Amino acid sequence: MNHVRSGVPDASACRAPAPQGCGRAVVGTPARPPASAAHTTPGAPDRDTASARVAELERLLGDPGDPANPHGFEALLAADEARRPPGPTGQLLVSAGLTAEFVPVRHGGRLARADTLARVLRPVFRRDLALGFGLGLPSLFAAGAVWTAGSDRQRADAARLLLGGGRAAIAHHSLAHSNVIYRDEVRATRVPAGFSLTGAKEAVLNADRAGALVVYARTEPAPGPRSHSVLLLEPDALPADRWSRLPRRLTHGMRGCSYTGVEFTGCEVGADTLVGEPGAGVELALRAFQLNRCLVPAAVHAGVDTALRMAVRAATAGRSGSLARRLHTPLTGVLADLLTADCLIRAGLRTLHLVPDGSSVLAAVVKYLVPDLLREAVEELSGVLGARGYHRGGDFGGFEKLVRDLPMAGLGHAGTAACQAVIMPQLRGAARTWTLSNEPPAALFAPEVSLPPLDFTALRPAGGHDALAATLRGAAARLAEGAAPAGPTGRALGELADSCARELLVLREQFRTRPAFDRGAPPGPEALAAVDRYALLLAAAACLGVWERQDGRDPFLAGAEWPVLCLGRLVRRLGLPVPELPPECVPRMLDEVLSRFARGRGYDLHGDVLADAAR
């Protein structure tokens, strides 16, 4: 031990007849999750439970490379080409109770730990990003506001819908300079009975089949933090002549997902559709979206895992000798970046449990940095695959689809800008704590821990101290004081950690001597560069935290070679000098790349056994 989507039946088939009422959310008949997928016990270590749930999904979905598998790559690619959801696979996942993963345990579902949810979603997303988004994530994004501030009835209605296999959709508020998903908005005007809705959203995922619609509607004409409110609507109960679904919009990526619009024209809904307080829409988004910001990169990580597996297959096909030297750097570099991303994801997801009133910045950093790491990884792998990366079928057909799907998964500029808007105003205050804060508990990084159940109501839009900065300082100090393993690898790790810790102090001094960022002005290059550097330093801290807290069960993760390569790539991105890395680091990482491929294990911190057959 070291030192310390789509593809589900129409929602109407999964619920009881809608009750009459003005915009009330669906109250479908709940479906009991199968006994094979046990609930997570709140507060208990769930390594075995999570592993069993992952193994069960892998077993159900089967070998994705088998052409005869109705849930494999060939079938999923055919559905994508036809721009239709992979129906049989979606139905299988609904029958397996996947939608229960989005319902908190206190409301009858399985959601107790955010990191377990991310792990359970990976078998779905490693096969097809569109399958995961079309089937489930929008329901969680929509229900997040309900779990955070909904009434008892609203929470019960949302739980019954999702436990019954139904889906919820979310109509976001408008953001400047954003894509079609965030463009335009719905306005809600007060009327005696409740609200009158007017306006349209052109692209809402699953709006055509959702049993509930969560709308972030403008309720005040003036801009400001109290300008929007959240409404929970039942589409089938709305007056038919006052609203309509707009035609489906075809997309370049995630072609099997159904993006349809909604339009309201003086559509009146009851006062009981309001979620939380009037004007609380922006605050609810900042609170509930913290889980989303960590969960999306965590799920998409599995798609890049599959891309690395394709690249290894291409690099080793027909070869009996050693791997071509030119492939060593991209393959080991991508594994290093996947591990870096997973370390930051683990810290972000667990912070929601351990520091729920101070998790907003770290959640935004996860969503800000990890998609860039994953996109860069895919670009590196495209050089390994060469012409195979353009195949439309067979063992490599999913790579070209992944390239198309990734921008849709990350929401492009809108997602980046939203995270910058969360991080920048809090950076100056966070910097004051970088030399004062205590280190976070071991549970933030350790492989097997107990966590309190995820409590949406405890999440706050801003505040708290920066625990990962303290991790970076503490780890660098311990390595300097002799905690590093003996030999050149340990020395390199100490030098890299020290370089990152010194850079953190440089960044702190920059904030101490420069004026605060103006919330009302567009961010300049200096502000954006500061966010970039800050995110890279937190990623380095997460890697060191995970490495220090290893329990020794995995000899690879207990070794120092992987954090040396991870930090080396981060330090290079920071533009800082990188010490000469020990010669054993790349061969050790390459061995792990090839070994996990041969043994059918995932390229993340868990290394779960996959259903892939050796071919």
Side-chain angles (χ1 to χ4, degrees), residues 292-352:
N292 309 356
R293 285 178 173 144
C294 295
L295 201 60
V296 169
V300 173
H301 185 286
V304 183
D305 181 303
T306 294
L308 177 53
R309 203 164 301 281
M310 291 179 184
V312 175
R313 180 173 290 114
T316 57
R319 181 181 294 274
S320 57
S322 60
L323 203 63
R325 184 170 293 276
R326 66 179 179 82
L327 301 179
H328 293 190
T329 296
L331 293 179
T332 58
V334 168
L335 178 56
D337 284 350
L338 286 176
L339 293 174
T340 296
D342 214 23
C343 290
L344 190 59
I345 288 166
R346 174 180 287 184
L349 289 169
R350 291 186 180 180
T351 297
L352 301 175

Side-chain angles (χ1 to χ4, degrees), residues 108-125:
R110 298 189 189 130
L111 178 53
R113 292 183 53 149
D115 55 348
T116 296
L117 172 59
R119 191 172 170 188
V120 170
L121 287 175
R122 283 182 173 173
V124 179
F125 276 80

Side-chain angles (χ1 to χ4, degrees), residues 204-294:
V204 177
L205 182 53
N206 291 338
D208 58 338
R209 62 196 67 191
L213 180 63
V214 173
V215 179
Y216 283 76
R218 177 175 288 278
T219 47
E220 293 292 338
R226 307 293 294 178
S227 59
H228 288 72
S229 301
V230 179
L231 304 176
L232 175 62
L233 311 178
E234 179 199 345
D236 289 349
L238 297 173
D241 60 339
R242 295 295 179 178
W243 86 288
S244 62
R245 292 185 174 92
L246 302 178
R248 180 184 179 185
R249 294 181 66 95
L250 301 182
T251 56
H252 179 64
M254 294 197 190
R255 297 188 298 200
C257 289
S258 179
Y259 287 92
T260 56
V262 291
E263 184 172 19
F264 302 94
T265 308
C267 180
E268 293 196 6
V269 299
D272 62 344
T273 62
L274 179 67
V275 178
E277 299 296 325
V282 173
E283 178 187 343
L284 281 178
L286 290 172
R287 293 170 65 189
F289 286 10
Q290 291 177 48
L291 175 59
N292 309 356
R293 285 178 173 144
C294 295

Side-chain angles (χ1 to χ4, degrees), residues 322-387:
S322 60
L323 203 63
R325 184 170 293 276
R326 66 179 179 82
L327 301 179
H328 293 190
T329 296
L331 293 179
T332 58
V334 168
L335 178 56
D337 284 350
L338 286 176
L339 293 174
T340 296
D342 214 23
C343 290
L344 190 59
I345 288 166
R346 174 180 287 184
L349 289 169
R350 291 186 180 180
T351 297
L352 301 175
H353 295 261
L354 297 169
V355 196
D357 59 345
S359 55
S360 62
V361 170
L362 183 53
V365 166
V366 173
K367 183 61 166 66
Y368 179 77
L369 179 62
V370 172
D372 280 346
L373 295 178
L374 299 181
R375 282 191 291 267
E376 290 173 13
V378 169
E379 290 173 4
E380 286 197 69
L381 294 175
S382 66
V384 178
L385 284 163

Side-chain angles (χ1 to χ4, degrees), residues 141-157:
F141 299 166
V146 180
W147 308 143
T148 303
S151 66
D152 290 343
R153 180 191 60 77
Q154 289 171 334
R155 290 171 178 168
D157 286 354

